[in-house]
Amino acid sequence: MKRYRIVSTQKQTAQVLDVRENIELTCFFPRKLKPICGDFVSLENKIDEWVINEIHPSHNVFARANHKGQKQQIAANVDNQIIVVAVEPEPTRDLINRYLVAAHNCEMQPIIIFNKNDINEHFFDEEQRIYQDLGYKTFSTNTKNQNQFDGLLEIMKDKTSIFVGMSGVGKSSISEIILGQELKTGGISKKTGKGSHVTSVTQLFKIDKIDGYLIDSPGVWEYGLWKMEAQEIAHGFPEIEKESHQCKFSNCTHTHEPKCAVKTAVENNQIHQKRYQSYLRIIDSMKYWE
Ligand SMILES: Nc1nc2c(ncn2[C@@H]2O[C@H](COP(=O)(O)OP(=O)(O)O)[C@@H](O)[C@H]2O)c(=O)[nH]1
Ligand SMILES: [Mg+2]
Ligand SMILES: [Zn+2]
């Protein structure tokens, strides 16, 4: 059977990619089906239009909080979550860690790009070292120096990767380097007169040269995590999760409990103070959804 993949969705229609032929078509979907970018679907030809009749089970979904703190699905079947931060606009305090919590909980491989190093080469030195020491893949880049993205291209080979981060950090510019072409929507270039493009929908692109896919998502000022338990948040901090097995209480949240191995590890500088404080703030931020 033919494989189709959702490129983007509108209210009742979706752009889908015929994976083998590499051509796009527009099709309708019934209200009860809720396809999202990255889903694999089956189509049915009804008189003179295409209709989605089945969404295939996805292996994972990248999500964020809606305005009520519920999980809102953004894209399906995503292997890599490429977090892009830049010297300008500077990331908000816990942004990287919130994305990492999502990556671990949604079972995506996180990669951190510290972009715009042409503006300030050493701006992210300490930050990058912290994440490298934790075992994350990181890159220091700028889009004027395309070969800095060779390593990233290698990671994206045969995979589906989503670019996430604040608006203006360079996600679309990096996507263009990876694709080797300008980003286009329905044949119209997104470049505005100012020479910058604004991404307004989550959209999938096939990367022919490496047989992968990339998903460009609209920038969000603050990435919000949906309502989660302390344990799920800890799951996004591997160094905290590792220590947690030594805590006295198996349901320890590492906030106020006695004989907490995590707190001891922070005191002994085995867990970075900055990361622990960030963990506490993320735990605390869940109050907002109550
Ligand atoms: N100096 C500098 N500017 C960059 C770099 N990457 C992107 N930009 C610029 O930052 C602006 C926002 O880029 P864009 O790719 O649209 O960001 P997005 O909103 O994350 O998709 C554009 O004017 C880009 O030309 C970089 O590495 N260095
Ligand atoms: Mg963009
Ligand atoms: Zn604990």
Side-chain angles (χ1 to χ4, degrees):
M1 200 161 57
K2 264 197 156 177
R3 257 159 89 80
Y4 294 93
R5 197 164 190 195
I6 303 284
V7 168
S8 60
T9 57
Q10 295 81 41
K11 258 201 167 83
Q12 290 161 14
T13 60
Q15 284 299 114
V16 298
L17 181 74
D18 177 331
V19 172
R20 186 168 312 154
E21 307 290 338
N22 206 4
I23 45 171
E24 271 188 36
L25 54 155
T26 305
C27 57
F28 289 84
F29 56 85
R31 197 162 290 191
K32 64 174 197 294
L33 289 185
K34 291 194 168 55
I36 55 172
C37 180
D39 268 327
F40 287 100
V41 297
S42 301
L43 301 186
E44 186 181 3
N45 198 327
K46 283 195 177 161
I47 312 171
D48 57 354
E49 60 192 33
W50 289 98
V51 178
I52 298 174
N53 61 5
E54 194 192 341
I55 301 173
H56 303 183
S58 52
H59 72 77
N60 70 346
V61 172
F62 170 63
R64 60 182 251 190
N66 68 9
H67 64 286
K68 287 182 190 155
Q70 295 156 332
K71 200 169 179 177
Q72 182 192 2
Q73 305 196 325
I74 306 287
N77 303 303
V78 184
D79 305 300
N80 296 320
Q81 180 207 45
I82 302 170
I83 305 163
V84 185
V85 296
V87 175
E88 164 65 47
E90 212 180 305
T92 51
R93 193 162 52 172
D94 299 316
L95 188 68
I96 295 177
N97 293 334
R98 278 201 305 272
Y99 276 124
L100 291 175
V101 169
H104 287 279
N105 281 281
C106 299
E107 292 174 5
M108 301 176 290
Q109 167 81 38
I111 293 114
I112 310 167
I113 307 252
F114 296 99
N115 196 35
K116 306 201 187 182
N117 66 11
D118 54 317
I119 298 173
N120 182 342
E121 202 187 336
H122 298 293
F123 190 79
F124 284 118
D125 281 0
E126 190 204 346
E127 202 98 336
Q128 191 177 4
R129 198 166 321 112
I130 290 174
Y131 290 106
Q132 269 173 354
D133 289 348
L134 289 167
Y136 291 106
K137 290 202 176 80
T138 71
F139 295 94
S140 173
T141 61
N142 72 73
T143 50
K144 289 161 200 154
N145 205 336
Q146 300 207 357
N147 54 18
Q148 291 180 338
F149 295 93
D150 290 350
L152 182 64
L153 203 62
E154 192 58 39
I155 291 169
M156 293 175 71
K157 198 171 183 300
D158 302 320
K159 304 269 196 253
T160 297
S161 309
I162 188 164
F163 282 92
V164 298
M166 285 159 67
S167 188
V169 294
K171 298 181 298 297
S172 296
S173 308
I174 297 168
S175 299
E176 291 188 343
I177 292 173
I178 300 293
L179 288 168
Q181 66 184 57
E182 251 178 50
L183 292 181
K184 296 197 166 136
T185 315
I188 305 157
S189 167
K190 280 197 207 164
K191 282 222 161 126
T192 63
K194 285 178 185 160
S196 65
H197 25 64
V198 177
T199 312
S200 56
V201 291
T202 301
Q203 197 176 349
L204 176 109
F205 299 87
K206 183 132 192 272
I207 319 164
D208 294 323
K209 61 181 169 188
I210 54 165
D211 215 9
Y213 294 90
L214 76 78
I215 298 173
D216 190 30
S217 68
V220 282
W221 180 250
E222 269 298 15
Y223 171 75
L225 287 171
W226 56 97
K227 180 101 182 75
M228 282 184 176
E229 302 298 325
Q231 244 127 18
E232 292 173 287
I233 296 167
H235 189 47
F237 289 78
E239 75 277 40
I240 290 179
E241 193 170 65
K242 187 166 158 254
E243 284 305 319
S244 70
H245 304 292
Q246 314 299 326
C247 295
K248 179 171 182 0
F249 301 105
S250 64
N251 61 353
C252 186
T253 64
H254 327 301
T255 54
H256 61 279
E257 296 88 344
K259 303 219 162 124
C260 169
V262 171
K263 277 193 281 184
T264 307
V266 174
E267 280 154 25
N268 298 339
N269 295 318
Q270 287 161 297
I271 289 176
H272 206 291
Q273 184 65 245
K274 266 194 177 174
R275 288 266 296 168
Y276 179 62
Q277 292 304 329
S278 181
Y279 166 79
L280 292 180
R281 282 191 299 268
I282 294 174
I283 294 263
D284 198 53
S285 72
M286 290 295 144
K287 282 194 313 213
Y288 186 78
W289 300 132
E290 273 153 21

mmCIF file of all heavy atoms in Angstrom, residues 46-90:
data_model
loop_
_atom_site.group_PDB
_atom_site.id
_atom_site.type_symbol
_atom_site.label_atom_id
_atom_site.label_comp_id
_atom_site.label_asym_id
_atom_site.label_seq_id
_atom_site.Cartn_x
_atom_site.Cartn_y
_atom_site.Cartn_z
ATOM 1 N N LYS A 46 -12.222 9.645 -3.539
ATOM 2 C CA LYS A 46 -13.683 9.741 -3.604
ATOM 3 C C LYS A 46 -14.063 10.707 -4.715
ATOM 4 O O LYS A 46 -13.824 11.906 -4.604
ATOM 5 C CB LYS A 46 -14.240 10.243 -2.271
ATOM 6 C CG LYS A 46 -14.281 9.173 -1.203
ATOM 7 C CD LYS A 46 -15.160 9.605 -0.040
ATOM 8 C CE LYS A 46 -15.266 8.507 1.003
ATOM 9 N NZ LYS A 46 -15.708 9.004 2.298
ATOM 10 N N ILE A 47 -14.619 10.153 -5.780
ATOM 11 C CA ILE A 47 -14.983 10.927 -6.973
ATOM 12 C C ILE A 47 -13.821 11.790 -7.432
ATOM 13 O O ILE A 47 -12.888 11.264 -8.000
ATOM 14 C CB ILE A 47 -16.301 11.709 -6.792
ATOM 15 C CG1 ILE A 47 -17.361 10.766 -6.206
ATOM 16 C CG2 ILE A 47 -16.795 12.242 -8.172
ATOM 17 C CD1 ILE A 47 -18.639 11.427 -5.785
ATOM 18 N N ASP A 48 -13.822 13.064 -7.096
ATOM 19 C CA ASP A 48 -12.692 13.863 -7.594
ATOM 20 C C ASP A 48 -11.828 14.438 -6.481
ATOM 21 O O ASP A 48 -11.138 15.414 -6.660
ATOM 22 C CB ASP A 48 -13.188 14.970 -8.538
ATOM 23 C CG ASP A 48 -14.198 15.864 -7.851
ATOM 24 O OD1 ASP A 48 -14.571 15.547 -6.700
ATOM 25 O OD2 ASP A 48 -14.597 16.863 -8.456
ATOM 26 N N GLU A 49 -11.916 13.838 -5.281
ATOM 27 C CA GLU A 49 -11.029 14.339 -4.226
ATOM 28 C C GLU A 49 -10.430 13.208 -3.395
ATOM 29 O O GLU A 49 -10.975 12.110 -3.327
ATOM 30 C CB GLU A 49 -11.773 15.337 -3.333
ATOM 31 C CG GLU A 49 -12.985 14.741 -2.648
ATOM 32 C CD GLU A 49 -13.871 15.797 -1.995
ATOM 33 O OE1 GLU A 49 -13.957 16.923 -2.524
ATOM 34 O OE2 GLU A 49 -14.469 15.474 -0.965
ATOM 35 N N TRP A 50 -9.316 13.516 -2.756
ATOM 36 C CA TRP A 50 -8.657 12.555 -1.879
ATOM 37 C C TRP A 50 -9.108 12.784 -0.447
ATOM 38 O O TRP A 50 -9.222 13.923 -0.006
ATOM 39 C CB TRP A 50 -7.138 12.716 -1.969
ATOM 40 C CG TRP A 50 -6.570 12.238 -3.267
ATOM 41 C CD1 TRP A 50 -6.258 13.003 -4.352
ATOM 42 C CD2 TRP A 50 -6.230 10.898 -3.609
ATOM 43 N NE1 TRP A 50 -5.750 12.217 -5.358
ATOM 44 C CE2 TRP A 50 -5.723 10.916 -4.917
ATOM 45 C CE3 TRP A 50 -6.318 9.665 -2.930
ATOM 46 C CZ2 TRP A 50 -5.301 9.767 -5.572
ATOM 47 C CZ3 TRP A 50 -5.885 8.524 -3.575
ATOM 48 C CH2 TRP A 50 -5.387 8.582 -4.893
ATOM 49 N N VAL A 51 -9.328 11.671 0.268
ATOM 50 C CA VAL A 51 -9.777 11.768 1.655
ATOM 51 C C VAL A 51 -8.901 10.849 2.518
ATOM 52 O O VAL A 51 -8.584 9.725 2.115
ATOM 53 C CB VAL A 51 -11.266 11.346 1.781
ATOM 54 C CG1 VAL A 51 -11.727 11.393 3.238
ATOM 55 C CG2 VAL A 51 -12.161 12.221 0.914
ATOM 56 N N ILE A 52 -8.505 11.341 3.681
ATOM 57 C CA ILE A 52 -7.740 10.499 4.612
ATOM 58 C C ILE A 52 -8.713 9.542 5.279
ATOM 59 O O ILE A 52 -9.714 9.986 5.843
ATOM 60 C CB ILE A 52 -7.039 11.360 5.691
ATOM 61 C CG1 ILE A 52 -6.043 12.322 5.030
ATOM 62 C CG2 ILE A 52 -6.338 10.488 6.732
ATOM 63 C CD1 ILE A 52 -5.404 13.312 5.985
ATOM 64 N N ASN A 53 -8.454 8.238 5.199
ATOM 65 C CA ASN A 53 -9.373 7.301 5.854
ATOM 66 C C ASN A 53 -8.741 6.575 7.031
ATOM 67 O O ASN A 53 -9.407 5.894 7.784
ATOM 68 C CB ASN A 53 -9.979 6.315 4.846
ATOM 69 C CG ASN A 53 -8.922 5.468 4.170
ATOM 70 O OD1 ASN A 53 -7.740 5.539 4.511
ATOM 71 N ND2 ASN A 53 -9.334 4.668 3.206
ATOM 72 N N GLU A 54 -7.452 6.743 7.214
ATOM 73 C CA GLU A 54 -6.809 6.075 8.351
ATOM 74 C C GLU A 54 -5.510 6.771 8.720
ATOM 75 O O GLU A 54 -4.743 7.169 7.838
ATOM 76 C CB GLU A 54 -6.511 4.622 7.977
ATOM 77 C CG GLU A 54 -6.154 3.754 9.172
ATOM 78 C CD GLU A 54 -5.584 2.399 8.767
ATOM 79 O OE1 GLU A 54 -5.780 1.974 7.603
ATOM 80 O OE2 GLU A 54 -4.918 1.784 9.609
ATOM 81 N N ILE A 55 -5.294 6.918 10.024
ATOM 82 C CA ILE A 55 -4.006 7.426 10.511
ATOM 83 C C ILE A 55 -3.274 6.234 11.113
ATOM 84 O O ILE A 55 -3.824 5.541 11.977
ATOM 85 C CB ILE A 55 -4.198 8.520 11.589
ATOM 86 C CG1 ILE A 55 -5.005 9.698 11.009
ATOM 87 C CG2 ILE A 55 -2.849 9.004 12.115
ATOM 88 C CD1 ILE A 55 -5.381 10.749 12.033
ATOM 89 N N HIS A 56 -2.076 5.975 10.682
ATOM 90 C CA HIS A 56 -1.330 4.830 11.199
ATOM 91 C C HIS A 56 -0.792 5.155 12.591
ATOM 92 O O HIS A 56 -0.459 6.304 12.862
ATOM 93 C CB HIS A 56 -0.182 4.474 10.247
ATOM 94 C CG HIS A 56 -0.657 4.187 8.847
ATOM 95 N ND1 HIS A 56 0.178 3.789 7.842
ATOM 96 C CD2 HIS A 56 -1.899 4.249 8.280
ATOM 97 C CE1 HIS A 56 -0.510 3.622 6.729
ATOM 98 N NE2 HIS A 56 -1.771 3.899 6.975
ATOM 99 N N PRO A 57 -0.685 4.148 13.455
ATOM 100 C CA PRO A 57 -0.175 4.417 14.814
ATOM 101 C C PRO A 57 1.209 5.066 14.750
ATOM 102 O O PRO A 57 2.047 4.679 13.938
ATOM 103 C CB PRO A 57 -0.085 3.018 15.439
ATOM 104 C CG PRO A 57 -0.980 2.155 14.622
ATOM 105 C CD PRO A 57 -0.996 2.727 13.241
ATOM 106 N N SER A 58 1.429 6.071 15.587
ATOM 107 C CA SER A 58 2.721 6.766 15.561
ATOM 108 C C SER A 58 3.599 6.247 16.689
ATOM 109 O O SER A 58 3.097 5.804 17.718
ATOM 110 C CB SER A 58 2.513 8.269 15.695
ATOM 111 O OG SER A 58 1.718 8.551 16.815
ATOM 112 N N HIS A 59 4.919 6.275 16.490
ATOM 113 C CA HIS A 59 5.784 5.758 17.562
ATOM 114 C C HIS A 59 6.009 6.781 18.662
ATOM 115 O O HIS A 59 6.358 6.433 19.779
ATOM 116 C CB HIS A 59 7.069 5.120 17.019
ATOM 117 C CG HIS A 59 8.080 6.053 16.465
ATOM 118 N ND1 HIS A 59 8.894 6.810 17.264
ATOM 119 C CD2 HIS A 59 8.405 6.365 15.187
ATOM 120 C CE1 HIS A 59 9.697 7.538 16.502
ATOM 121 N NE2 HIS A 59 9.408 7.290 15.247
ATOM 122 N N ASN A 60 5.789 8.044 18.375
ATOM 123 C CA ASN A 60 5.812 9.060 19.433
ATOM 124 C C ASN A 60 5.223 10.366 18.903
ATOM 125 O O ASN A 60 4.951 10.500 17.704
ATOM 126 C CB ASN A 60 7.232 9.289 19.967
ATOM 127 C CG ASN A 60 8.124 9.992 18.964
ATOM 128 O OD1 ASN A 60 7.809 10.091 17.779
ATOM 129 N ND2 ASN A 60 9.237 10.492 19.426
ATOM 130 N N VAL A 61 5.011 11.300 19.838
ATOM 131 C CA VAL A 61 4.430 12.591 19.465
ATOM 132 C C VAL A 61 5.129 13.696 20.247
ATOM 133 O O VAL A 61 5.304 13.579 21.463
ATOM 134 C CB VAL A 61 2.907 12.614 19.782
ATOM 135 C CG1 VAL A 61 2.330 14.004 19.596
ATOM 136 C CG2 VAL A 61 2.146 11.622 18.904
ATOM 137 N N PHE A 62 5.543 14.734 19.557
ATOM 138 C CA PHE A 62 6.086 15.907 20.238
ATOM 139 C C PHE A 62 4.905 16.792 20.625
ATOM 140 O O PHE A 62 4.025 17.051 19.811
ATOM 141 C CB PHE A 62 7.047 16.678 19.313
ATOM 142 C CG PHE A 62 7.448 18.014 19.874
ATOM 143 C CD1 PHE A 62 8.168 18.111 21.060
ATOM 144 C CD2 PHE A 62 7.108 19.195 19.224
ATOM 145 C CE1 PHE A 62 8.532 19.339 21.593
ATOM 146 C CE2 PHE A 62 7.476 20.438 19.740
ATOM 147 C CZ PHE A 62 8.186 20.505 20.919
ATOM 148 N N ALA A 63 4.886 17.213 21.893
ATOM 149 C CA ALA A 63 3.738 17.970 22.398
ATOM 150 C C ALA A 63 4.179 19.210 23.161
ATOM 151 O O ALA A 63 5.366 19.405 23.430
ATOM 152 C CB ALA A 63 2.905 17.074 23.298
ATOM 153 N N ARG A 64 3.211 20.041 23.478
ATOM 154 C CA ARG A 64 3.430 21.188 24.343
ATOM 155 C C ARG A 64 2.139 21.432 25.102
ATOM 156 O O ARG A 64 1.138 20.761 24.853
ATOM 157 C CB ARG A 64 3.799 22.419 23.527
ATOM 158 C CG ARG A 64 2.725 22.792 22.538
ATOM 159 C CD ARG A 64 3.144 23.984 21.719
ATOM 160 N NE ARG A 64 2.372 25.135 22.108
ATOM 161 C CZ ARG A 64 2.389 26.275 21.420
ATOM 162 N NH1 ARG A 64 3.159 26.387 20.345
ATOM 163 N NH2 ARG A 64 1.673 27.290 21.803
ATOM 164 N N ALA A 65 2.153 22.399 26.026
ATOM 165 C CA ALA A 65 0.927 22.701 26.777
ATOM 166 C C ALA A 65 0.055 23.641 25.972
ATOM 167 O O ALA A 65 0.567 24.567 25.336
ATOM 168 C CB ALA A 65 1.290 23.353 28.107
ATOM 169 N N ASN A 66 -1.252 23.395 26.014
ATOM 170 C CA ASN A 66 -2.144 24.421 25.480
ATOM 171 C C ASN A 66 -2.395 25.430 26.620
ATOM 172 O O ASN A 66 -1.800 25.303 27.693
ATOM 173 C CB ASN A 66 -3.438 23.787 24.931
ATOM 174 C CG ASN A 66 -4.319 23.184 26.022
ATOM 175 O OD1 ASN A 66 -4.068 23.367 27.218
ATOM 176 N ND2 ASN A 66 -5.335 22.467 25.621
ATOM 177 N N HIS A 67 -3.294 26.389 26.408
ATOM 178 C CA HIS A 67 -3.465 27.433 27.420
ATOM 179 C C HIS A 67 -4.065 26.924 28.731
ATOM 180 O O HIS A 67 -4.057 27.627 29.731
ATOM 181 C CB HIS A 67 -4.299 28.586 26.840
ATOM 182 C CG HIS A 67 -5.700 28.174 26.494
ATOM 183 N ND1 HIS A 67 -5.982 27.387 25.389
ATOM 184 C CD2 HIS A 67 -6.879 28.387 27.123
ATOM 185 C CE1 HIS A 67 -7.291 27.156 25.358
ATOM 186 N NE2 HIS A 67 -7.850 27.761 26.384
ATOM 187 N N LYS A 68 -4.549 25.675 28.715
ATOM 188 C CA LYS A 68 -5.096 25.105 29.958
ATOM 189 C C LYS A 68 -4.127 24.133 30.617
ATOM 190 O O LYS A 68 -4.462 23.504 31.617
ATOM 191 C CB LYS A 68 -6.390 24.348 29.647
ATOM 192 C CG LYS A 68 -7.578 25.229 29.321
ATOM 193 C CD LYS A 68 -8.756 24.292 29.094
ATOM 194 C CE LYS A 68 -9.955 24.993 28.540
ATOM 195 N NZ LYS A 68 -10.800 24.017 27.790
ATOM 196 N N GLY A 69 -2.960 23.941 30.030
ATOM 197 C CA GLY A 69 -1.995 23.018 30.619
ATOM 198 C C GLY A 69 -2.192 21.585 30.160
ATOM 199 O O GLY A 69 -1.578 20.665 30.679
ATOM 200 N N GLN A 70 -3.071 21.393 29.162
ATOM 201 C CA GLN A 70 -3.247 20.046 28.620
ATOM 202 C C GLN A 70 -2.229 19.811 27.515
ATOM 203 O O GLN A 70 -1.734 20.755 26.901
ATOM 204 C CB GLN A 70 -4.660 19.892 28.045
ATOM 205 C CG GLN A 70 -5.746 19.996 29.089
ATOM 206 C CD GLN A 70 -7.069 20.427 28.490
ATOM 207 O OE1 GLN A 70 -7.100 21.132 27.468
ATOM 208 N NE2 GLN A 70 -8.163 20.024 29.103
ATOM 209 N N LYS A 71 -1.980 18.526 27.288
ATOM 210 C CA LYS A 71 -1.005 18.145 26.269
ATOM 211 C C LYS A 71 -1.566 18.437 24.878
ATOM 212 O O LYS A 71 -2.625 17.926 24.511
ATOM 213 C CB LYS A 71 -0.752 16.647 26.428
ATOM 214 C CG LYS A 71 0.530 16.159 25.826
ATOM 215 C CD LYS A 71 0.779 14.725 26.295
ATOM 216 C CE LYS A 71 2.053 14.177 25.688
ATOM 217 N NZ LYS A 71 2.349 12.833 26.179
ATOM 218 N N GLN A 72 -0.873 19.240 24.125
ATOM 219 C CA GLN A 72 -1.293 19.542 22.750
ATOM 220 C C GLN A 72 -0.276 18.930 21.794
ATOM 221 O O GLN A 72 0.917 19.231 21.849
ATOM 222 C CB GLN A 72 -1.354 21.062 22.562
ATOM 223 C CG GLN A 72 -1.826 21.454 21.183
ATOM 224 C CD GLN A 72 -1.615 22.934 20.901
ATOM 225 O OE1 GLN A 72 -1.085 23.681 21.725
ATOM 226 N NE2 GLN A 72 -2.012 23.357 19.719
ATOM 227 N N GLN A 73 -0.768 18.056 20.914
ATOM 228 C CA GLN A 73 0.128 17.339 20.015
ATOM 229 C C GLN A 73 0.559 18.225 18.847
ATOM 230 O O GLN A 73 -0.279 18.844 18.200
ATOM 231 C CB GLN A 73 -0.573 16.084 19.509
ATOM 232 C CG GLN A 73 -1.075 15.218 20.667
ATOM 233 C CD GLN A 73 -1.429 13.821 20.241
ATOM 234 O OE1 GLN A 73 -1.923 13.606 19.139
ATOM 235 N NE2 GLN A 73 -1.149 12.861 21.111
ATOM 236 N N ILE A 74 1.848 18.253 18.584
ATOM 237 C CA ILE A 74 2.383 19.128 17.534
ATOM 238 C C ILE A 74 2.829 18.339 16.298
ATOM 239 O O ILE A 74 2.529 18.713 15.180
ATOM 240 C CB ILE A 74 3.608 19.941 18.052
ATOM 241 C CG1 ILE A 74 3.268 20.700 19.332
ATOM 242 C CG2 ILE A 74 4.164 20.862 16.973
ATOM 243 C CD1 ILE A 74 2.374 21.901 19.160
ATOM 244 N N ALA A 75 3.588 17.255 16.530
ATOM 245 C CA ALA A 75 4.115 16.495 15.395
ATOM 246 C C ALA A 75 4.339 15.043 15.810
ATOM 247 O O ALA A 75 4.689 14.769 16.956
ATOM 248 C CB ALA A 75 5.409 17.108 14.892
ATOM 249 N N ALA A 76 4.138 14.135 14.853
ATOM 250 C CA ALA A 76 4.222 12.705 15.153
ATOM 251 C C ALA A 76 5.438 12.058 14.493
ATOM 252 O O ALA A 76 5.941 12.554 13.479
ATOM 253 C CB ALA A 76 2.955 12.011 14.666
ATOM 254 N N ASN A 77 5.881 10.969 15.069
ATOM 255 C CA ASN A 77 6.996 10.177 14.523
ATOM 256 C C ASN A 77 8.275 11.006 14.393
ATOM 257 O O ASN A 77 8.856 11.125 13.315
ATOM 258 C CB ASN A 77 6.600 9.578 13.170
ATOM 259 C CG ASN A 77 5.343 8.727 13.279
ATOM 260 O OD1 ASN A 77 5.287 7.786 14.058
ATOM 261 N ND2 ASN A 77 4.314 9.085 12.527
ATOM 262 N N VAL A 78 8.659 11.613 15.502
ATOM 263 C CA VAL A 78 9.822 12.495 15.518
ATOM 264 C C VAL A 78 10.982 11.803 16.237
ATOM 265 O O VAL A 78 10.861 11.447 17.407
ATOM 266 C CB VAL A 78 9.498 13.830 16.240
ATOM 267 C CG1 VAL A 78 10.677 14.780 16.169
ATOM 268 C CG2 VAL A 78 8.248 14.480 15.653
ATOM 269 N N ASP A 79 12.086 11.584 15.542
ATOM 270 C CA ASP A 79 13.240 10.916 16.155
ATOM 271 C C ASP A 79 14.126 11.898 16.914
ATOM 272 O O ASP A 79 14.537 11.645 18.034
ATOM 273 C CB ASP A 79 14.092 10.233 15.074
ATOM 274 C CG ASP A 79 13.272 9.286 14.223
ATOM 275 O OD1 ASP A 79 12.712 8.334 14.792
ATOM 276 O OD2 ASP A 79 13.161 9.517 12.994
ATOM 277 N N ASN A 80 14.429 13.008 16.276
ATOM 278 C CA ASN A 80 15.349 13.993 16.876
ATOM 279 C C ASN A 80 14.630 15.295 17.194
ATOM 280 O O ASN A 80 13.882 15.811 16.367
ATOM 281 C CB ASN A 80 16.476 14.350 15.904
ATOM 282 C CG ASN A 80 17.376 13.184 15.579
ATOM 283 O OD1 ASN A 80 17.716 12.387 16.457
ATOM 284 N ND2 ASN A 80 17.785 13.089 14.323
ATOM 285 N N GLN A 81 14.912 15.828 18.379
ATOM 286 C CA GLN A 81 14.403 17.153 18.720
ATOM 287 C C GLN A 81 15.619 18.092 18.731
ATOM 288 O O GLN A 81 16.507 17.946 19.575
ATOM 289 C CB GLN A 81 13.755 17.122 20.097
ATOM 290 C CG GLN A 81 13.198 18.465 20.542
ATOM 291 C CD GLN A 81 13.180 18.591 22.045
ATOM 292 O OE1 GLN A 81 14.144 18.253 22.726
ATOM 293 N NE2 GLN A 81 12.081 19.077 22.585
ATOM 294 N N ILE A 82 15.663 18.980 17.766
ATOM 295 C CA ILE A 82 16.815 19.867 17.663
ATOM 296 C C ILE A 82 16.460 21.207 18.295
ATOM 297 O O ILE A 82 15.665 21.980 17.758
ATOM 298 C CB ILE A 82 17.254 20.014 16.201
ATOM 299 C CG1 ILE A 82 17.574 18.608 15.644
ATOM 300 C CG2 ILE A 82 18.459 20.944 16.089
ATOM 301 C CD1 ILE A 82 17.795 18.567 14.163
ATOM 302 N N ILE A 83 17.042 21.435 19.463
ATOM 303 C CA ILE A 83 16.737 22.642 20.225
ATOM 304 C C ILE A 83 17.688 23.733 19.755
ATOM 305 O O ILE A 83 18.910 23.577 19.841
ATOM 306 C CB ILE A 83 16.958 22.400 21.738
ATOM 307 C CG1 ILE A 83 16.138 21.193 22.226
ATOM 308 C CG2 ILE A 83 16.634 23.655 22.548
ATOM 309 C CD1 ILE A 83 16.597 20.634 23.569
ATOM 310 N N VAL A 84 17.143 24.807 19.229
ATOM 311 C CA VAL A 84 18.001 25.895 18.759
ATOM 312 C C VAL A 84 17.883 27.075 19.715
ATOM 313 O O VAL A 84 16.784 27.560 19.985
ATOM 314 C CB VAL A 84 17.620 26.337 17.326
ATOM 315 C CG1 VAL A 84 18.603 27.391 16.816
ATOM 316 C CG2 VAL A 84 17.575 25.146 16.366
ATOM 317 N N VAL A 85 19.019 27.493 20.259
ATOM 318 C CA VAL A 85 19.062 28.721 21.056
ATOM 319 C C VAL A 85 20.101 29.631 20.413
ATOM 320 O O VAL A 85 20.963 29.168 19.657
ATOM 321 C CB VAL A 85 19.413 28.471 22.548
ATOM 322 C CG1 VAL A 85 18.339 27.643 23.233
ATOM 323 C CG2 VAL A 85 20.774 27.802 22.701
ATOM 324 N N ALA A 86 19.999 30.911 20.676
ATOM 325 C CA ALA A 86 20.924 31.850 20.035
ATOM 326 C C ALA A 86 21.407 32.905 21.016
ATOM 327 O O ALA A 86 20.794 33.113 22.069
ATOM 328 C CB ALA A 86 20.229 32.519 18.847
ATOM 329 N N VAL A 87 22.511 33.517 20.643
ATOM 330 C CA VAL A 87 23.066 34.623 21.421
ATOM 331 C C VAL A 87 22.005 35.731 21.505
ATOM 332 O O VAL A 87 21.861 36.413 22.522
ATOM 333 C CB VAL A 87 24.347 35.146 20.743
ATOM 334 C CG1 VAL A 87 24.886 36.379 21.447
ATOM 335 C CG2 VAL A 87 25.399 34.034 20.665
ATOM 336 N N GLU A 88 21.241 35.877 20.415
ATOM 337 C CA GLU A 88 20.219 36.922 20.312
ATOM 338 C C GLU A 88 19.073 36.421 19.430
ATOM 339 O O GLU A 88 19.362 36.009 18.300
ATOM 340 C CB GLU A 88 20.904 38.162 19.728
ATOM 341 C CG GLU A 88 20.028 39.248 19.189
ATOM 342 C CD GLU A 88 19.202 39.897 20.260
ATOM 343 O OE1 GLU A 88 19.782 40.237 21.313
ATOM 344 O OE2 GLU A 88 17.990 40.031 20.056
ATOM 345 N N PRO A 89 17.827 36.333 19.847
ATOM 346 C CA PRO A 89 17.324 36.587 21.207
ATOM 347 C C PRO A 89 17.782 35.498 22.190
ATOM 348 O O PRO A 89 17.710 34.313 21.882
ATOM 349 C CB PRO A 89 15.803 36.529 21.032
ATOM 350 C CG PRO A 89 15.582 35.635 19.843
ATOM 351 C CD PRO A 89 16.755 35.874 18.947
ATOM 352 N N GLU A 90 18.222 35.968 23.356
ATOM 353 C CA GLU A 90 18.771 35.087 24.384
ATOM 354 C C GLU A 90 17.684 34.141 24.916
ATOM 355 O O GLU A 90 16.552 34.577 25.099
ATOM 356 C CB GLU A 90 19.248 35.986 25.536
ATOM 357 C CG GLU A 90 20.437 35.463 26.271
ATOM 358 C CD GLU A 90 20.835 36.420 27.396
ATOM 359 O OE1 GLU A 90 21.069 37.618 27.120
ATOM 360 O OE2 GLU A 90 20.902 35.954 28.531
#
